[in-house]
Amino acid sequence: MSGSAITNVTSELPFLVANDRYQVVALPNRGSTTSTFEFRYWFAGEPLWDEELASDSLIPPYHAVTEGSAYVPGSLELPYRLVKPHQEWQIDEVIVEFVGRPTVISESLVDSAYSLGFTGRVEGIGITDLSRTVSGAQTSGVVVSSDFVYADTANAQDSASWPNVKTVKMAVRLGRVRGARVVLTDIHLCKILRVQLVGKIIANRNA
Amino acid sequence: MPDVLATWDDFRGGHWGNLGPHAAQDNQFGGVNMTLARDGGLVPVCASRWLQTNATPAGRVLGMFWAWGSDSNLYFIQQAGTQTAQSRLYKFNPSITSIPATITTTSVFTWVGNYDPDWCEVGLFIHVTMYGVFTYLIRTATNVLEILTGSYGNAAAGRAITQYKERLFVGGILDLRFGLHTNRIAFSGDDTNNITYDTTAWESLNYFDVGAFTDWVVGLYVLRDYLVIIMDDQSIYLANGTPNLNMTVRRVYGFNKSAGAVTTFRSTHAVVDPSQTRLWMFDHTMRVPLRFNGASITRIPNFGAPRYHAPADDTPEGNTTMIGGPDEFLSVGVAVGRAAGEKTAAHKLMLVRTNGVYTLVQQDVVAQRQT
């Protein structure tokens, strides 16, 4: 199964209770005179993927997917970093260090082929070429790279050596900006540890 | 040789809220559905799972309470299908290792009115007050539901209940015995015979009124040695002392209510921090949690947006609950601008605080439905 994100819903959340161990019981459907209710379980804490804290069976359950095998898509937007005066950046790649959900973690609805990964892009600001336009003949001060995608499967994640950090380099081409940030979307079944922009620092053309 | 132009590996500033990517601190982040792990990484939040039960009666659920500190059961009151003048009390253990959970019926009782019940746990007993009807006692050890009554008559019933010192307090009263008194707080105790800890004794004159007679008491909470009283317009009063002896009541927060004030506050929209040093409550005017420490009110910075007038029965957001240790809570319905992240637009959001930072979670995550 390749996996898909949860769907957007319009239902309300009239009731929600929790204990002191991050476990939440919610009632998104309170029923009516002719229909029944629906309770849901949710864990508000983090997954303890360090091989489930060395096989501690008392840890409250964290589910990577719903009962319909849908994952929760995370999005991570990072703040702008700016160059020093008289400099510009030429961006060549993004390095992402992450921990994939270890294969040894057992969750019946996540089979070996279940997808894992994220999508990303780089946004640059402070571009000097003000004639750059976007659709509709508007002039934009933001330049956006093409999306990059990292995809893997649940059974391809290391469990033997901890921490099982992976590093991926995603090619990005963005030239002559004075600031940039990275946006990662559709993050699923992995924990982001570090994001880096790699490229060249070049002199400002107006220097 | 390529240079590392920028590095983001410290996320301990938490979510930037309305600040956006330009004004945010270097260690803050935007977006949704990510939680900070103890090793400093950011990981998607847990997916919710359907809590199956072995019985699925029809009827509108009026309220729920998780007695996780005593018998671990989740109690809920449900209208009895099409019999709108009756409701039933059910319980089940929500531990997800026992799916489908077994629902136990406790009793059938009369329900009148349109307000959600309020609950409080006292030892192995749970008290639930149903506005317009009665206050009930649930004996968890024997699974018995009974009307709370004693030598002076039935206990008061209203919109809020709590235990303060050795007495039960009920506020926002409507019942057959005391009548309609929206700003009244009645309390238990047999003062005539000096048995003040008797929670079944409700003397006729054991009450005090707070604010104007048209204001509603909707929340009662105990914060250190104070009884915190929250009205429907979010005015806050503090009571301190011993009833019938030296109790004082003073107002500590609130605008003078006028037409158009947002009056959607419910008892489930505030919770006392386990540190006992603050109360977290949802501010419906700015749609952001407030922190009240017994003396001053502080809004959580960088979140929230003003709300237009809302009618009293419009309560789509506000539920607030503690979820872990001190300062770890969840609040449903926070408002943020587009600067918080592109995936925040057109989604209802929950503000979650764990591991010392705020994060935003789409309500979609928890509100997924089978039916």
Side-chain angles (χ1 to χ4, degrees):
Chain A
M1 169 181 294
S2 60
S4 59
I6 58 171
T7 54
N8 297 339
V9 295
T10 56
S11 58
E12 300 294 349
L13 208 54
F15 293 111
L16 184 149
V17 291
N19 64 13
D20 59 350
R21 281 143 278 162
Y22 308 99
Q23 293 177 292
V24 175
V25 177
L27 187 77
N29 179 4
R30 64 190 300 181
S32 69
T33 52
T34 54
S35 65
T36 190
F37 52 77
E38 180 173 338
F39 289 99
R40 294 196 74 84
Y41 165 88
W42 186 61
F43 179 64
E46 64 190 274
L48 293 167
W49 281 341
D50 41 348
E51 297 179 35
E52 301 287 58
L53 269 189
S55 306
D56 184 342
S57 61
L58 298 178
I59 298 173
Y62 168 99
H63 301 294
V65 300
T66 65
E67 69 277 7
S69 294
Y71 61 79
V72 173
S75 68
L76 174 61
E77 300 193 17
L78 299 170
Y80 281 104
R81 291 280 199 269
L82 303 178
V83 301
K84 295 190 173 80
H86 308 301
Q87 292 180 349
E88 291 175 355
W89 282 344
Q90 178 177 301
I91 298 170
D92 297 323
E93 63 185 15
V94 174
I95 298 175
V96 180
E97 292 180 16
F98 66 96
V99 170
R101 177 187 165 283
T103 303
V104 73
I105 302 296
S106 174
E107 189 173 337
S108 61
L109 295 173
V110 177
D111 63 16
S112 60
Y114 202 95
S115 62
L116 173 154
F118 48 85
T119 299
R121 65 180 189 268
V122 179
E123 295 180 355
I125 58 171
I127 54 176
T128 55
D129 182 359
L130 295 178
S131 66
R132 184 185 297 276
T133 61
V134 293
S135 63
Q138 295 176 349
T139 301
S140 170
V142 179
V143 59
V144 182
S145 73
S146 301
D147 282 352
F148 55 83
V149 179
Y150 173 77
D152 205 342
T153 55
N155 69 340
Q157 307 311 312
D158 194 1
S159 297
S161 55
W162 192 264
N164 56 347
V165 178
K166 280 190 165 178
T167 303
V168 292
K169 295 184 177 182
M170 315 301 299
V172 167
R173 296 291 180 265
L174 215 61
R176 307 202 79 92
V177 295
R178 292 191 177 146
R181 72 179 186 134
V182 179
V183 175
L184 299 179
T185 59
D186 199 32
I187 305 167
H188 52 288
L189 278 70
C190 55
K191 181 185 350 181
I192 308 297
L193 297 179
R194 176 179 294 149
V195 178
Q196 291 180 308
L197 279 178
V198 175
K200 298 186 186 60
I201 300 171
I202 53 181
N204 185 340
R205 277 171 292 181
N206 296 325
Chain B
M1 183 72 177
D3 300 311
V4 174
L5 306 175
T7 298
W8 294 268
D9 58 4
D10 180 5
F11 308 112
R12 289 170 297 172
H15 202 287
W16 64 45
N18 290 321
L19 284 177
H22 292 273
Q25 297 169 17
D26 285 349
N27 62 353
Q28 290 184 307
F29 56 90
V32 294
N33 298 342
M34 302 294 284
T35 185
L36 183 70
R38 270 159 281 197
D39 62 2
L42 284 170
V43 61
V45 298
C46 175
S48 66
R49 285 283 182 98
W50 178 31
L51 254 182
Q52 282 179 272
T53 55
N54 66 328
T56 52
R60 180 178 168 85
V61 175
L62 307 174
M64 55 196 268
F65 179 78
W66 191 359
W68 54 266
S70 55
D71 70 352
S72 301
N73 281 309
L74 189 140
Y75 291 82
F76 66 99
I77 295 173
Q78 186 185 30
Q79 186 180 319
T82 54
Q83 299 181 54
T84 57
Q86 279 192 353
S87 53
R88 293 189 171 89
L89 175 70
Y90 296 103
K91 71 176 185 182
F92 69 94
N93 189 330
S95 164
I96 68 128
T97 60
S98 59
I99 290 176
T102 301
I103 284 190
T104 304
T105 307
T106 300
S107 191
V108 177
F109 52 102
T110 303
W111 164 76
V112 173
N114 202 27
Y115 294 110
D116 303 328
D118 195 22
W119 314 66
C120 79
E121 192 173 352
V122 181
L124 292 179
F125 306 132
I126 299 171
H127 296 94
V128 53
T129 188
M130 300 197 74
Y131 176 84
V133 194
F134 302 108
T135 290
Y136 294 87
L137 166 68
I138 302 170
R139 298 180 186 273
T140 57
T142 54
N143 199 33
V144 169
L145 173 75
E146 58 194 54
I147 295 172
L148 185 62
T149 189
S151 52
Y152 297 95
N154 292 339
R159 295 184 61 182
I161 187 169
T162 194
Q163 181 196 9
Y164 174 61
K165 299 189 178 178
E166 75 273 19
R167 302 175 191 252
L168 286 174
F169 286 71
V170 173
I173 291 170
L174 172 62
D175 60 31
L176 292 173
R177 180 185 167 203
F178 287 87
L180 173 62
H181 299 280
T182 61
N183 67 332
R184 180 157 295 178
I185 296 172
F187 51 89
S188 66
D190 187 351
D191 291 88
T192 300
N193 296 304
N194 201 27
I195 310 173
T196 56
Y197 55 84
D198 185 355
T199 56
T200 67
W202 292 75
E203 297 198 41
S204 303
L205 297 181
N206 275 7
Y207 67 83
F208 57 93
D209 294 341
V210 177
F213 75 94
T214 53
D215 291 346
W216 281 93
V217 175
V218 293
L220 295 172
Y221 313 90
V222 177
L223 182 65
R224 295 196 298 276
D225 57 343
Y226 293 117
L227 173 65
V228 181
I229 304 160
I230 301 182
M231 312 300 282
D232 60 338
D233 66 350
Q234 298 178 179
S235 297
I236 300 176
Y237 292 79
L238 286 185
N240 189 19
T242 301
N244 292 332
L245 183 64
N246 59 2
M247 179 163 262
T248 61
V249 181
R250 59 189 172 93
R251 190 183 197 192
V252 294
Y253 177 79
F255 296 90
N256 289 321
K257 193 172 81 171
S258 58
V262 176
T263 56
T264 61
F265 196 86
R266 293 286 186 269
S267 60
T268 54
H269 297 176
V271 63
V272 177
D273 192 282
S275 68
Q276 293 296 311
T277 57
R278 48 189 151 272
L279 175 90
W280 299 98
M281 59 182 280
F282 190 82
D283 177 1
H284 286 273
T285 56
M286 282 295 289
R287 293 175 291 166
V288 67
L290 299 175
R291 183 174 59 234
F292 175 59
N293 64 2
S296 61
I297 289 251
T298 313
R299 281 203 185 115
I300 291 171
N302 304 328
F303 293 93
R307 184 182 192 173
Y308 180 61
H309 163 73
D313 60 350
D314 178 14
T315 55
E317 69 259 344
N319 282 294
T320 300
T321 182
M322 303 308 294
I323 54 176
D327 292 335
E328 295 192 312
F329 67 91
L330 180 160
S331 195
V332 180
V334 69
V336 287
R338 167 64 178 85
E342 62 186 34
K343 300 299 184 184
T344 60
H347 289 272
K348 295 197 175 181
L349 300 168
M350 307 188 300
L351 185 68
V352 182
R353 184 178 166 88
T354 56
N355 285 338
V357 304
Y358 292 107
T359 57
L360 287 174
V361 178
Q362 293 171 333
Q363 189 174 294
D364 302 337
V365 172
V366 182
Q368 296 286 298
R369 286 170 59 164
Q370 279 281 323
T371 55

